[in-house]
Amino acid sequence: MPRQAISPERQSAYFDTLIRIVEEIGPHGAMQSGLKTILRTLCDEHGYKRALLTIFDPETNTLKLSVTVGSQRYAEVSYQPGQGVTGEVMNSGKPVIVPVQKDHPSFLNLAFGRTKEEMAHLGFICVPVRYADPGEAAEILGTLSVDVPAADPSELETDCMFLQVVASLVARQVATLQEELAMQRHLMAQGLPPVQAGTEGYAHPNIVAASKPMRMVLQQVSQVGPSRATVLLRGESGTGKELLAEALHSVSPRKTKPLIKLNCAALPAELVESELFGHTKGAFTGAVANKKGLFELADGGTLFLDEIGELSLEAQAKVLRAIQEREIQRIGSEQTIRVDARLITATNRPLEKMLEEGTLREDLFYRINVFPIFIPPLRERRLDILPLSEHFMQRYAEEYGKNVKRISTPAIDLLQQYHWPGNVRELANCMERAVLICDEEVIRTYHLPPSLQTAESSATDTSLSFGEAVSRFEQELLVDALKKARGNMLQAARDLKASYRIINYKVKKYRLDPKKFAVGRSRKR
């Protein structure tokens, strides 16, 4: 049967809905409340009776109805793979269209309150929700389905294609919700307090986590934070170990008590013990008064020891005693002092190799390695690069009073391609420099450090001719102008101080589509 033409009104409704969904998702993604808003938009704008989102639970091998609009009795509903139309879609990965619910042999009414009369006038469309992290194969996370007014299959096919686009748009949010639901169940099984929905494990004002590896790290923070267990943070320099130590402290029962920090590599070996354990007056030259050590100052709170691999063997023995016996001795004193400080340690050194070399005590290693958290380098979590860049851009623009609003597409490409040996710290420094020298609203490639613009660091081609380089720069300016003007070529021409004829010629030359920059344009309601 030939496919029916879509009316202009219907096309407009589809595009308007997709734009609203993109706006709802936003740069950092919506969670359960945002997904519910999206389902409500589908029902309001397209006359769907119900909209249902099921998410696959790998632990129980069932599909659980997680988000719905238009049905109240659904909390305990779940499907086995292959059960009903929803289970069939999960198994096959192919959408299913039911023109009339009551005529379909495998359609299940379940607990949605559908009456037989209602099912005689309703159809059903169910599509799979697929998602893939970069470099991984796509997997089916669940299904998106709607109750629609009964109609000819050819008419419902257009709605089915539209819903497949919607499912692709919300797939990342569904993946995050799937992980969050699994984490909540895990926390409840361990008797730990559940994490507030929508935080992707744990929310911290200075922690940005869009990638799966960092979401897993934040889940671990949520799991161990409420306990008094010793935590070992491992990762390269600049990955954010101190920030995670602050996060661990802020979700612990000790959050009202002090968080004391010491970088063990920042002080000479002979002074580290004095800092950690304190000293008495006259204990050594220059000790003119009694001094409390950091273990005492952190009593009741948390002590964070960064670069713990730099401690001398003698200092390691004393730290071990403080952990085991919860007591210390000031230098120059024989009196023991009881302390209750939760210990968080961090290192970028290979501790296992240090054990073999004898520079790290084995008993101390096992004491601090109770709950290790490995923080991946930035090059292994590239999904975090753009949100982190925007975060730092906004922070430094506010700090320095700059009117910098966004990052150009070519600049984003450079940021994504660079290997970031200095990790998040290097990215922060890069964006601070870019904001400082930027004299417009957009950070461009020439605002970024030269190290990002070499062939070795950014994998860019240095064999461009002068004409090709000029063309690339010209195209970048044109794309940015079209974005700012939301696809209006006349406005873009004014902004670039060029004629409409020239802009129209350049748009055709570079095969640009101004319509795709029209997202966000005001619409009739």
Side-chain angles (χ1 to χ4, degrees):
M1 182 179 294
R3 184 175 298 170
Q4 294 185 358
I6 306 174
S7 68
E9 293 79 10
R10 201 172 179 188
Q11 287 184 14
S12 178
Y14 287 144
F15 285 130
D16 281 354
T17 301
L18 293 176
I19 289 171
R20 290 181 64 181
I21 289 174
V22 170
E23 291 174 345
E24 180 63 36
I25 291 174
H28 300 297
M31 285 300 293
Q32 198 155 356
S33 60
L35 290 171
K36 196 173 186 72
T37 300
I38 290 170
L39 296 189
R40 186 174 293 109
T41 299
L42 293 177
C43 292
D44 293 344
E45 299 294 327
H46 299 277
Y48 301 148
K49 181 73 173 179
R50 297 176 183 86
L52 317 166
L53 182 65
T54 63
I55 296 179
F56 181 65
D57 182 356
E59 187 168 313
T60 61
N61 197 37
T62 59
L63 278 161
K64 294 186 180 296
L65 191 58
S66 300
V67 186
T68 184
V69 168
S71 182
Q72 301 301 321
R73 293 180 289 171
Y74 65 90
E76 300 301 323
V77 174
S78 62
Y79 302 84
Q80 298 294 329
Q83 180 186 20
V85 175
T86 302
E88 177 187 338
V89 171
M90 180 69 195
N91 258 6
S92 67
K94 299 178 180 179
V96 170
I97 299 174
V98 178
V100 182
Q101 293 180 7
K102 74 176 185 63
D103 296 338
H104 198 281
S106 62
F107 190 83
L108 301 178
N109 181 31
L110 291 178
F112 302 119
R114 300 185 182 102
T115 64
K116 290 184 178 180
E117 181 180 358
E118 188 180 27
M119 292 175 65
H121 297 89
L122 284 178
F124 186 74
I125 301 173
C126 185
V127 301
V129 179
R130 290 186 176 86
Y131 178 75
D133 281 317
E136 297 183 9
E139 59 177 323
I140 300 178
L141 305 179
T143 67
L144 171 64
S145 55
V146 296
D147 283 9
V148 299
D152 187 88
S154 61
E155 294 183 21
L156 298 178
E157 186 179 348
T158 304
D159 275 302
C160 182
M161 291 187 292
F162 165 67
L163 289 172
Q164 290 181 77
V165 176
V166 173
S168 297
L169 288 176
V170 303
R172 181 176 171 274
Q173 284 65 40
V174 173
T176 302
L177 183 57
Q178 182 189 55
E179 292 180 6
E180 181 181 276
L181 294 175
M183 182 192 67
Q184 299 286 26
R185 182 177 58 245
H186 180 72
L187 292 176
M188 292 175 65
Q190 294 189 342
L192 297 174
V195 181
Q196 182 181 358
T199 60
E200 299 191 6
Y202 170 69
H204 188 279
N206 293 320
I207 295 181
V208 177
S211 65
K212 188 172 182 178
M214 275 307 294
R215 295 201 303 268
M216 296 299 294
V217 167
L218 294 187
Q219 286 182 16
Q220 291 177 304
V221 169
S222 300
Q223 292 167 353
V224 73
S227 71
R228 64 159 290 122
T230 302
V231 179
L232 174 60
L233 302 174
R234 304 190 65 172
E236 295 179 6
S237 179
T239 50
K241 295 186 286 294
E242 183 174 340
L243 211 57
L244 283 175
E246 294 174 1
L248 285 163
H249 177 71
S250 65
V251 295
S252 75
R254 300 166 179 260
K255 61 184 177 183
T256 58
K257 300 294 183 178
L259 168 64
I260 306 298
K261 307 173 187 177
L262 175 66
N263 187 328
C264 300
L267 293 175
E270 58 271 16
L271 294 182
V272 169
E273 289 186 42
S274 174
E275 282 293 313
L276 285 174
F277 309 109
H279 59 254
T280 59
K281 181 179 180 180
F284 51 83
T285 303
V288 297
N290 292 339
K291 177 187 174 182
K292 288 185 176 182
L294 298 185
F295 269 99
E296 286 184 78
L297 295 176
D299 189 38
T302 304
L303 176 60
F304 173 54
L305 298 183
D306 198 3
E307 304 299 345
I308 193 170
E310 303 295 332
L311 287 178
S312 66
L313 289 172
E314 185 178 355
Q316 290 179 30
K318 293 185 178 181
V319 169
L320 177 64
R321 180 188 176 190
I323 300 173
Q324 289 180 326
E325 309 297 334
R326 298 187 189 178
E327 61 181 28
I328 62 167
Q329 282 182 305
R330 292 180 184 174
I331 297 176
S333 172
E334 296 181 356
Q335 179 183 358
T336 59
I337 302 172
R338 297 288 297 176
V339 292
D340 175 26
R342 190 223 187 139
L343 191 63
I344 299 175
T345 62
T347 185
N348 61 4
R349 298 188 62 182
L351 298 185
E352 292 77 9
K353 185 177 180 181
M354 293 178 64
L355 284 174
E356 296 177 3
E357 296 172 347
T359 55
L360 177 68
R361 293 177 61 103
E362 187 175 2
D363 45 7
L364 177 63
F365 173 73
Y366 292 119
R367 277 292 181 179
I368 63 175
N369 199 40
V370 174
F371 196 103
I373 297 179
F374 292 83
I375 308 170
L378 190 55
R379 62 183 173 274
E380 293 179 8
R381 45 185 176 105
R382 295 194 174 274
L383 281 179
D384 291 331
I385 293 175
L386 179 55
L388 278 168
S389 301
E390 292 175 337
H391 170 77
F392 292 128
M393 177 193 71
Q394 293 168 3
R395 178 207 288 183
Y396 293 121
E398 182 178 346
E399 181 177 340
Y400 296 122
K402 292 274 195 167
N403 190 32
V404 182
K405 295 182 178 179
R406 65 183 183 85
I407 307 170
S408 72
T409 301
I412 290 173
D413 291 340
L414 280 184
L415 292 169
Q416 296 278 14
Q417 293 165 0
Y418 186 56
H419 62 284
W420 298 110
N423 294 293
V424 181
R425 183 183 294 121
E426 183 182 6
L427 176 59
N429 294 339
C430 169
M431 295 310 299
E432 183 176 12
R433 175 190 186 275
V435 169
L436 279 171
I437 66 175
C438 183
D439 54 359
E440 49 186 311
E441 294 184 352
V442 183
I443 290 178
R444 305 190 187 278
T445 54
Y446 48 80
H447 295 132
L448 299 177
S451 59
L452 270 67
Q453 303 180 48
T454 63
E456 180 181 358
S457 64
S458 63
T460 53
D461 185 5
T462 57
S463 62
L464 292 177
S465 67
F466 177 75
E468 289 171 330
V470 170
S471 294
R472 284 196 178 184
F473 180 66
E474 186 177 62
Q475 186 175 354
E476 176 185 346
L477 291 177
L478 186 57
V479 167
D480 284 339
L482 287 170
K483 284 182 178 178
K484 183 179 179 182
R486 296 179 179 177
N488 187 323
M489 289 201 295
L490 187 59
Q491 183 60 48
R494 294 193 191 103
D495 292 340
L496 292 174
K497 297 179 176 60
S499 68
Y500 176 84
R501 182 185 59 79
I502 291 177
I503 295 301
N504 186 47
Y505 168 74
K506 297 293 185 183
V507 164
K508 292 179 180 178
K509 175 184 176 181
Y510 296 120
R511 297 180 181 179
L512 300 175
D513 181 8
K515 292 179 181 178
K516 77 176 184 178
F517 302 109
V519 175
R521 183 177 294 171
S522 59
R523 304 178 302 277
K524 293 180 180 180
R525 296 295 186 191

